[in-house]
Amino acid sequence: MIDLHTHILPGLDDGAASLSEAQRMLEIAAGDGITKLLATPHFMAGWFEPEPAQILAGVEQLNQYAIAKGLQIRVLPGMEVALSPEVPTLLQKGRLLTLNGQGQYLLLELPVGDIPFYTESLLFELQLKGITPVLAHPERNRLVEENPRRLKEMVMRGALVQITGDSILGKFGRRTRKITQELVKDGLVHALGSDAHSSQHRPPVLKPAAAALAKLLGPEKTDIITRADKLGTFP
């Protein structure tokens, strides 16, 4: 399984509070059967602005720990970038990190209670640059909950969707669970992420969510999502 969205790197955002905590999270993920884990700290201008070099260094440190402990897991770099009109400029300046640094996929977070008027044009601008936007947990966005068609239109235009594992388990409430199930059944979900912030609060665990997906989709379609096949390979 691939965990596309975690806050495992210590000291860069509101995720892991220490290196030992990050290491514990890595052990939990490996024990859950996650073989590749994307470290995606927040990039929110004025709040969290990690440098790509910091992320790459943190990823290397965790990979060395995994090797030393014999953990069958690999950490890959990325960012969870807050949606803003400055995203294309920040990308051009080299301030943002695409998933695994491949320059193909950018993990974007919508505001919790809004879909800004510029969203569609921004997503299109990224696609013109050869970058596919991957929307982080849009099932937790209030306007998507009220009108899932808003998300369907973005997917039809080329965006991909990553849901949080806990959403389909009802840990964000019944309404979010219902919307998530609808998105899954409609083929609008392409990847899973734990959105892990610590070993206790939303840990990097995906097996229960994968089991819930399998009940809705069957094993073959579930494998496509848990391997994030729509995003290509993460070597």
Side-chain angles (χ1 to χ4, degrees):
M1 289 190 294
I2 292 180
D3 189 341
L4 201 76
H5 180 178
T6 72
H7 299 270
I8 193 171
L9 298 181
L12 297 185
D13 62 359
D14 58 347
S18 65
L19 178 58
S20 61
E21 176 68 2
Q23 292 168 341
R24 175 61 185 144
M25 291 170 70
L26 196 61
E27 292 169 357
I28 290 171
D32 188 60
I34 293 167
T35 55
K36 292 173 185 174
L37 177 149
L38 276 290
T40 54
H42 288 290
F43 187 99
M44 304 173 71
W47 291 90
F48 305 113
E49 299 181 2
E51 295 284 346
Q54 291 177 294
I55 296 171
L56 294 172
V59 165
E60 177 62 21
Q61 189 174 35
L62 287 181
N63 279 327
Q64 290 301 319
Y65 179 80
I67 292 169
K69 292 293 184 179
L71 303 178
Q72 300 301 306
I73 189 170
R74 186 175 176 207
V75 184
L76 303 172
M79 273 183 182
E80 180 187 18
V81 181
L83 193 78
S84 80
E86 288 74 39
V87 167
T89 301
L90 290 166
L91 196 59
Q92 187 174 6
K93 290 180 177 179
R95 289 291 290 110
L96 305 181
L97 196 59
T98 56
L99 295 179
N100 201 22
Q102 294 176 321
Q104 292 179 283
Y105 303 96
L106 186 67
L107 189 66
L108 288 172
E109 181 182 30
L110 295 170
V112 173
D114 190 20
I115 299 177
F117 70 90
Y118 57 80
T119 299
E120 284 80 4
S121 61
L122 174 61
L123 299 185
F124 182 61
E125 186 175 351
L126 290 174
Q127 289 173 289
L128 289 178
K129 295 177 182 294
I131 294 176
T132 299
V134 182
L135 301 176
H137 50 70
E139 77 282 0
R140 289 156 53 190
N141 174 277
R142 181 176 57 82
L143 296 188
V144 170
E145 283 192 346
E146 292 174 358
N147 183 10
R149 182 161 183 81
R150 297 286 299 274
L151 181 63
K152 184 173 184 178
E153 290 169 353
M154 286 185 260
V155 173
M156 289 175 66
R157 294 189 181 105
L160 298 178
V161 168
Q162 168 259 306
I163 60 167
T164 302
D166 281 354
S167 293
I168 201 166
L169 299 175
K171 295 186 179 181
F172 292 101
R174 294 180 184 175
R175 182 172 175 80
T176 298
R177 180 182 183 182
K178 181 175 181 293
I179 293 298
T180 305
Q181 290 174 334
E182 290 178 11
L183 297 178
V184 168
K185 290 176 182 177
D186 288 344
L188 301 179
V189 174
H190 309 98
L192 268 180
S194 64
D195 197 3
H197 279 66
S198 75
S199 61
Q200 300 295 323
H201 171 62
R202 209 183 304 152
V205 171
L206 291 179
K207 265 187 182 176
L213 280 177
K215 289 181 180 179
L216 294 174
L217 297 177
E220 291 183 7
K221 290 183 178 179
T222 297
D223 283 347
I224 291 171
I225 293 174
T226 57
R227 295 195 307 258
D229 284 355
K230 293 290 185 180
L231 281 79
T233 59
F234 290 105

